[in-house]
Amino acid sequence: MKFSVHRAAFIQYLNDVQRAISAKTALEILSGIKLDLSEDGLTMTGSNSDISIETVISIADEQAALNIEQTGSVVLPARFFNEIVKKLPAETMTLEVNERFQAAITSGSADFTINGVDPEAYPHLPEIDSREQLTLSGDILKQVINQTVIAASKQETRPILTGIHLAFKEGELLAVATDSHRLSQRKLQLTGKNEADHDIIVPAQSMNELAKMIGEESEDIEIQIAENQILFILGNTSFYSRLLEGNYPDTTRLIPQTATTTLEVNAPEFLRAIERASLLSHEGRNNVVKLTLTSDKAMLSSNSPEIGNVEEELTFTELKGDDLEISFNPDYMKDALRSFGQSEVLLSFTLPLRPFTLVPSEANGDFVQLITPVRTI
């Protein structure tokens, strides 16, 4: 196997594949990256127990300037290979693999030799029936992931909550994540031929890595779903993730439909006030911030016996309803507010110990964040 390639373009492809490779893995061969060179291009594959990423550098890619001299395959140690390629001195690099799977990497005056292994032992990627597929705009999918992944659980005690629940039904996508203390829900109307209904749970960690791969000017992304796998196709790159098994809890009943008190604020201004209040709350044992709403005033406060206290009167667009005093985890609130960007946000409350919601003022219920208050007595 032998080829030469433009190093900067090669690194971009390599970085995508590297996302799927873990330092610790049950199969030692999965700590490596698989290179498969055919007459049409170079296919690189990385995998762990959750995700697999395959990307193809075509000979038609002018930026990569791939020159194929001899086809073949090899699995190389991913970490060393990645570091070597990034530090090579010249614009182009050549890789040649002998029959013992030793890889010679040359670029300018640098010459490396690393030991690879037989690619026959590398696990095959899942086969997914491509007859049923969905299509989503890349920037929309990235937004949906970033708005929901923040609420997914990081604790393995309830594995099902470490995923994002995706329900495709009747031309609509409902994406939900919750860790039982907070919840994020996004609805999206689908366009095109998305006829099949699906109800799946994708690991949040997989979705997080996928979102990082979606560029700012991303094209449409094809989605194919199998019994225990989901495949996202981004141009020349295929992103596979396993699905979580089990039934996601019914979260629709958790979102209050009525409110006794509402507060409309500017999300960035409110976020900055929460950040100031949490400077002290993080020093205390409880990490709690209190919001006090009266007929014409909204006050934010935090008290840390070890350090001191803070109190700030908030500016708001509108305040209606009953007086209320409610305490919450400021980190949950900050995550929620960041997901709204620059918009105005409506907070709706019922009782001091009942969950409250945040929605963009213009969203019509398509995007909801829910936070459970903290009992302070």
Side-chain angles (χ1 to χ4, degrees):
M1 161 181 190
K2 185 176 181 181
F3 68 88
S4 61
V5 67
H6 196 281
R7 198 168 58 87
F10 185 71
I11 287 170
Q12 287 185 322
Y13 287 97
L14 191 60
N15 286 343
D16 281 344
V17 175
Q18 190 79 18
R19 294 183 189 281
I21 301 171
S22 303
K24 296 176 182 177
T25 177
L27 284 174
E28 189 175 343
I29 198 167
L30 291 184
S31 64
I33 184 168
K34 182 183 177 186
L35 279 70
D36 190 358
L37 187 65
S38 70
E39 293 178 356
D40 298 321
L42 175 66
T43 300
M44 293 192 286
T45 308
S47 183
N48 60 29
S49 58
D50 285 331
I51 64 176
S52 301
I53 299 174
E54 180 183 84
T55 192
V56 179
I57 305 177
S58 168
I59 54 171
D61 186 336
E62 293 181 2
Q63 285 186 314
L66 178 64
N67 181 39
I68 300 165
E69 292 191 38
Q70 185 181 352
T71 60
S73 300
V74 70
V75 176
L76 299 176
R79 186 168 63 86
F80 289 117
F81 183 56
N82 202 15
E83 289 300 319
I84 288 168
V85 171
K86 286 179 177 177
K87 290 181 169 58
L88 290 173
E91 285 187 3
T92 60
M93 58 170 274
T94 300
L95 188 144
E96 184 173 6
V97 180
N98 64 21
E99 65 277 0
R100 298 188 305 278
F101 301 106
Q102 286 181 317
I105 305 163
T106 56
S107 177
S109 57
D111 193 344
F112 286 86
T113 301
I114 57 174
N115 295 322
V117 295
D118 189 342
E120 287 299 316
Y122 198 87
H124 292 288
L125 291 177
E127 289 187 15
I128 296 180
D129 188 348
S130 60
R131 285 176 298 178
E132 281 189 9
Q133 62 186 41
L134 304 143
T135 304
L136 270 182
S137 165
D139 56 347
I140 294 293
L141 179 59
K142 183 172 186 170
Q143 184 185 64
V144 170
I145 294 170
N146 290 338
Q147 288 174 336
T148 53
V149 73
I150 54 174
S153 175
K154 295 174 177 62
Q155 307 297 322
E156 290 293 338
T157 48
R158 291 186 68 187
I160 206 81
L161 297 186
T162 63
I164 298 177
H165 180 208
L166 301 178
F168 298 90
K169 190 174 182 181
E170 296 174 356
E172 183 180 81
L173 166 62
L174 180 67
V176 182
T178 181
D179 60 5
S180 76
H181 300 292
R182 54 178 166 169
L183 176 146
S184 180
Q185 174 180 288
R186 175 72 194 272
K187 288 180 184 175
L188 186 66
Q189 297 302 314
L190 301 174
T191 56
K193 293 184 178 180
N194 299 309
E195 295 163 1
D197 291 351
H198 295 281
D199 197 293
I200 57 173
I201 306 155
V202 188
Q205 200 168 356
S206 299
M207 297 295 272
N208 216 8
E209 290 300 333
L210 175 65
K212 292 174 186 173
M213 289 174 59
I214 300 173
E216 292 301 319
E217 298 178 6
S218 180
E219 300 174 2
D220 285 354
I221 293 173
E222 285 183 24
I223 304 170
Q224 298 172 14
I225 300 167
E227 188 176 344
N228 59 358
Q229 291 278 336
I230 186 168
L231 165 62
F232 300 89
I233 301 174
L234 307 78
N236 292 331
T237 301
S238 298
F239 183 104
Y240 297 80
S241 172
R242 74 178 177 96
L243 299 177
L244 297 177
E245 294 182 12
N247 295 316
Y248 204 80
D250 179 11
T251 55
T252 54
R253 57 187 174 79
L254 300 177
I255 300 172
Q257 301 303 310
T258 59
T260 55
T261 308
T262 59
L263 173 69
E264 188 175 345
V265 292
N266 177 265
E269 287 181 12
F270 191 37
L271 173 60
R272 287 191 287 272
I274 296 288
E275 287 172 338
R276 288 189 287 271
S278 65
L279 290 172
L280 292 190
S281 73
H282 282 157
E283 296 300 320
R285 289 190 299 271
N286 298 324
N287 190 26
V288 170
V289 165
K290 183 167 69 175
L291 177 65
T292 304
L293 303 175
T294 56
S295 57
D296 59 352
K297 190 178 288 187
M299 296 292 295
L300 203 62
S301 60
S302 180
N303 177 40
S304 170
E306 302 89 345
I307 305 295
N309 59 68
V310 58
E311 199 172 78
E312 179 174 346
E313 184 171 345
L314 300 172
T315 56
F316 53 83
T317 308
E318 190 175 53
L319 171 58
K320 293 193 296 188
D322 302 340
D323 292 357
L324 182 80
E325 194 173 274
I326 196 164
S327 300
F328 52 85
N329 181 320
D331 296 333
Y332 294 169
M333 182 67 86
K334 286 187 285 189
D335 284 344
L337 290 169
R338 289 188 188 110
S339 72
F340 293 113
Q342 300 297 314
S343 64
E344 294 282 312
V345 175
L346 183 69
L347 290 84
S348 299
F349 306 91
T350 52
L351 293 168
L353 292 176
R354 294 288 297 161
F356 60 93
T357 61
L358 300 87
V359 301
S361 300
E362 72 287 349
N364 301 321
D366 288 341
F367 181 31
V368 182
Q369 296 272 10
L370 178 142
I371 298 175
T372 302
V374 176
R375 188 187 293 270
T376 56
I377 300 172

